Amino acid sequence: RGFTVERSTAYWQRRSDRVGISAADAEAFGRAWTTLDARLEAAAASGVDAPASEFLEPGGRWNGLLNAGSGWYNGAAWDEVSVLDYAAYQDSGRNWRVREGYGAAIATLGGQLSPRLGCTVEEVDHSGVTIRIVTAKGTLSARAVIVTAPSNVLASEAIRFRPGLPDKVAAAAGVPLGLADKAWLAVSEPKRLPAEGHCFGRTDTAATAAYFLRPFGRPCVEAYFGGRLAGDLEGEGALAAFAIDELVGVLGADVRRILSPLFETAWASDPWSLGAYSHALPGRAGDRAVLAAPVDGRIFFAGEATHPTYFSTAHGAWETGIRAAEEAIAALAR
């Protein structure tokens, strides 16, 4: 489709070129993450589904930054993350970028469709032979429906099902969307910052962001916030201001004058998502399968939260869409 794919190693996987942290500390943090990861894998192998926070080193030097990392990775701190669910995730190790924009690439996949925006689904009535889908712009009739709404939307019952589907609502609540927000800053003197650089705001707390300096060499900074910090700052519209303060602490007071806010996300307050991407709460790893299961051979569920191993990803969402479509086709054929 003419997009440019950048196949270099993702910035968060590189330890040697981080700004504001010594090589020794970068390696020590990497070892702490690897150690925690191994503990969680071992616990999952024994069938434990405790909060992942139980496997942090008590009083560990890097626990704050590890929790910040969980916010970026899971959208939530380790105490909210199921050990079994975390271990089930499969990471290909490839995190490629699209120079023209990943969202722009994904948008082309729907180019043959005619989506109806601003058409809120209020109710799915499956009490009769034909399913009735009540929307803000009228009622549809269908033999089958594929539900792709995010788990937080389903858990809030913003879409009503008649008869009700309490098992689905409970399962959606068990795999809630965490929070990962971004803020972008313009850089008026780009040469002051390294292209494709990376830094943490702080290394001694979970209340910190990660920063991608001049991605693709462009005159901007991408700030990444996760978990509780993202929630606190999003509610105040304060992500960019926080990011500038942290970068001053890392790069020096003089950078304040070359940084200015461009844009920041607010996923928790977006009514169509109510969060970013899913994680299973401790003891709730099995809820992904419950959420994915069809109802009465007529209602099918897709979305990243329903994928057993690729949850929280675009490719996971894509695969579940194919799976749900094939389930619907097979049911209609019968």
Side-chain angles (χ1 to χ4, degrees):
R1 295 176 183 269
F3 289 97
T4 309
V5 180
E6 173 59 56
R7 291 174 168 82
S8 61
T9 302
Y11 69 81
W12 61 84
Q13 295 173 308
R14 304 194 303 262
R15 300 176 188 172
S16 59
D17 58 351
R18 286 182 177 150
V19 178
I21 182 174
S22 69
D25 278 351
E27 286 299 320
F29 172 62
R31 288 194 299 272
W33 185 281
T34 300
T35 298
L36 175 61
D37 195 67
R39 289 175 176 171
L40 294 175
E41 292 287 346
S46 66
V48 172
D49 195 13
S53 57
E54 293 185 5
F55 298 88
L56 291 166
E57 184 72 28
R61 157 72 176 85
W62 298 103
N63 285 358
L65 194 55
L66 288 169
N67 260 311
S70 181
W72 306 322
Y73 196 81
N74 301 302
W78 290 116
D79 62 345
E80 299 176 279
V81 175
S82 153
V83 167
L84 287 182
D85 193 61
Y86 175 81
Y89 178 74
Q90 292 183 8
D91 190 340
S92 68
R94 296 190 302 273
N95 289 277
W96 293 343
R97 292 177 289 162
V98 177
R99 185 173 290 272
E100 295 82 4
Y102 196 40
I106 289 176
T108 66
L109 300 176
Q112 303 297 316
L113 305 178
S114 180
R116 305 304 168 95
L117 304 179
C119 185
T120 310
V121 173
E122 300 166 351
E123 181 177 293
V124 177
D125 184 347
H126 57 111
S127 60
V129 174
T130 300
I131 298 174
R132 297 176 66 253
I133 305 167
V134 181
T135 82
K137 295 184 178 181
T139 299
L140 305 172
S141 296
R143 290 192 293 151
V145 58
I146 297 174
V147 179
T148 66
S151 59
N152 282 7
V153 172
L154 294 175
S156 72
E157 297 190 81
I159 300 173
R160 299 183 303 274
F161 291 90
R162 297 186 186 278
L165 300 177
D167 290 349
K168 294 294 184 183
V169 173
V175 288
L177 302 188
L179 194 55
D181 274 316
K182 290 185 178 181
W184 286 267
L185 309 173
V187 182
S188 60
E189 299 176 18
K191 292 183 179 179
R192 293 285 307 278
L193 302 181
E196 296 278 306
H198 174 236
C199 67
F200 301 125
R202 293 173 59 179
T203 62
D204 59 347
T205 177
T208 190
Y211 300 92
F212 192 13
L213 311 177
R214 296 182 56 208
F216 293 120
R218 292 168 179 163
C220 64
V221 173
E222 175 190 288
Y224 193 24
F225 302 81
R228 294 176 184 129
L229 176 65
D232 291 343
L233 294 175
E234 177 184 313
E236 302 172 1
L239 277 76
F242 183 95
I244 291 173
D245 286 344
E246 281 213 309
L247 287 170
V248 164
V250 176
L251 303 173
D254 192 44
V255 301
R256 187 180 297 275
R257 67 178 181 81
I258 69 170
L259 299 175
S260 58
L262 282 173
F263 180 77
E264 56 188 64
T265 62
W267 291 114
S269 57
D270 185 324
W272 316 122
S273 58
L274 301 178
Y277 40 72
S278 68
H279 61 283
L281 298 173
R284 305 294 293 273
D287 284 350
R288 294 195 188 278
V290 175
L291 188 59
V295 173
D296 193 29
R298 299 194 299 166
I299 305 178
F300 306 89
F301 291 81
E304 56 85 13
T306 70
H307 201 292
T309 58
Y310 293 154
F311 44 85
S312 79
T313 71
H315 57 277
W318 174 259
E319 287 194 359
T320 66
I322 294 173
R323 183 259 304 152
E326 290 176 343
E327 289 173 342
I329 289 167
L332 291 173
R334 290 194 295 271

